[in-house]
Amino acid sequence: MKTVISFFIFISFLNSPSITEIRKEYPNAAISANSATAFASKFTNVSSENKVLLAYKGASIIIVAKFRKKASEKVNAFKEGAKLIEQAVNADPENIEIRLIRISIQENAPGIVKYKKNILDDKNLILKYYKVQSTVLREYIKSFVLQSKSFSDQEKQSLK
């Protein structure tokens, strides 16, 4: 029985996308419907156990929603994606990457969905914990912050 459970756990890890690959693709996922769909397809087998991937899955659903035709489909998909992001934040509130994902979505969310209330909190957490992150994650965060409209020029300079 233990062997069977171990096998399924191993298989689930094989189906999970690599975080390096996801970080590389995320900034360009919203460029086109094709890139959004390709990005979202990576999260088909992602469960709620990996909170960072869960947040990316939520973001991918929201990005795909951007390209839907019907307003009702856009709103429903947006709500579904936001729910996953919030689930990830609630499960790991100090995770800077999850907060980066949420702020990136909230910055670009249309006003009608009223999903912009955490930008300041997320920004402050990112600035507070930036220096204690791994070099790879710091570079990823820095590339986001430098193009973000939520961070002041002074805050952007502090990351250089």
Side-chain angles (χ1 to χ4, degrees), residues 3 9 11 19-20 35 43 47-48 51 53-55 73 99 103 105 132 154-155 160:
T3 306
I9 291 172
I11 293 297
I19 196 68
T20 304
S35 61
F43 302 99
S47 70
S48 61
K51 302 308 176 205
L53 289 180
L54 181 66
E73 289 177 0
R99 296 298 193 98
I103 195 173
I105 293 297
V132 297
Q154 183 180 3
E155 291 165 334
K160 289 186 176 180

Side-chain angles (χ1 to χ4, degrees), residues 4-19:
V4 173
I5 293 171
S6 296
F7 177 74
F8 283 113
I9 291 172
F10 177 73
I11 293 297
S12 71
F13 282 118
L14 287 178
N15 289 334
S16 292
S18 91
I19 196 68

Side-chain angles (χ1 to χ4, degrees), residues 57-72:
K57 180 177 184 174
S60 75
I61 292 168
I62 291 170
I63 292 168
V64 169
K66 172 183 172 181
F67 298 100
R68 298 257 170 107
K69 300 280 189 241
K70 293 182 181 177
S72 62

Side-chain angles (χ1 to χ4, degrees), residues 13-14 16 31 51 56 73 107 111 126 132 139 143 153:
F13 282 118
L14 287 178
S16 292
I31 290 175
K51 302 308 176 205
Y56 279 114
E73 289 177 0
E107 269 187 357
I126 289 167
V132 297
E139 285 301 312
S143 68
D153 289 340

Side-chain angles (χ1 to χ4, degrees), residues 54-117:
L54 181 66
Y56 279 114
K57 180 177 184 174
S60 75
I61 292 168
I62 291 170
I63 292 168
V64 169
K66 172 183 172 181
F67 298 100
R68 298 257 170 107
K69 300 280 189 241
K70 293 182 181 177
S72 62
E73 289 177 0
K74 286 183 180 199
V75 170
N76 289 337
F78 191 98
K79 287 179 181 179
E80 178 188 350
K83 182 178 176 184
L84 293 178
I85 293 170
E86 291 304 317
Q87 183 181 341
V89 170
N90 291 333
D92 194 357
E94 300 294 309
N95 188 303
I96 194 170
E97 189 163 4
I98 293 172
R99 296 298 193 98
L100 176 88
I101 296 163
R102 182 168 71 178
I103 195 173
S104 71
I105 293 297
Q106 288 190 356
E107 269 187 357
N108 296 295
I112 195 165
V113 295
K114 297 182 178 155
Y115 189 60
K116 294 185 179 277
K117 66 182 179 181

Side-chain angles (χ1 to χ4, degrees), residues 31-59:
I31 290 175
S32 70
N34 287 340
S35 61
T37 303
F39 184 70
S41 71
K42 297 182 180 312
F43 302 99
T44 306
N45 296 319
V46 168
S47 70
S48 61
E49 291 174 24
N50 185 323
K51 302 308 176 205
V52 173
L53 289 180
L54 181 66
Y56 279 114
K57 180 177 184 174

